[in-house]
């Protein structure tokens, strides 16, 4: 099956998003999420006991992770310390 006819998936804040390619960057993920506040941080959920990871715009991700399930991300608003 040609890659351009296959769909790949990932989740952000428990919402499923579809992508046409098996790879995507942090910036690409941000573009897929409508109305995502640019001041919010994006984190990748760690697998098992792995820690969650802050996603940078140029970080690359493989959406074809065979047998590992879809990638999951979540957003975090900027901290407001001392407010």
């Amino acid at each position: 099956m040609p890659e351009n006819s296959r769909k790949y998936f990932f989740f952000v804040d428990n919402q499923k998003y579809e992508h046409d390619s098996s790879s995507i960057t942090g910036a690409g993920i941000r573009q897929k999420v409508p109305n995502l506040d640019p001041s919010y941080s994006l984190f990748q959920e760690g697998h098992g006991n792995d820690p969650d990871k802050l996603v940078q715009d140029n970080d690359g991700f493989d959406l074809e992770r065979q047998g590992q399930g879809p990638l999951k991300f979540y957003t975090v608003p900027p901290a407001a310390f001392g407010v």
Side-chain angles (χ1 to χ4, degrees):
M1 175 182 289
E3 183 174 64
N4 62 0
S5 65
R6 184 168 177 197
K7 299 295 181 187
Y8 299 88
F9 303 94
F10 61 92
F11 289 83
V12 177
D13 295 334
N14 296 316
Q15 178 70 39
K16 185 177 182 179
Y17 294 92
E18 189 175 279
H19 191 58
D20 293 332
S21 173
S22 64
S23 63
I24 194 168
T25 63
I29 293 168
R30 287 182 168 280
Q31 290 175 349
K32 288 279 188 178
V33 180
N35 304 316
L36 177 59
D37 187 322
S39 69
Y40 279 39
S41 296
L42 181 65
F43 283 85
Q44 178 187 10
E45 288 185 16
H47 183 72
N49 290 330
D50 294 339
D52 294 353
K53 178 186 170 223
L54 177 63
V55 174
Q56 302 296 329
D57 283 348
N58 60 346
D59 289 344
F61 298 95
D62 178 13
L63 300 178
E64 195 169 31
R65 307 162 14 111
Q66 295 181 358
Q68 297 180 31
L71 290 173
K72 295 181 180 179
F73 302 90
Y74 61 93
T75 57
V76 176
F81 295 105
V83 175

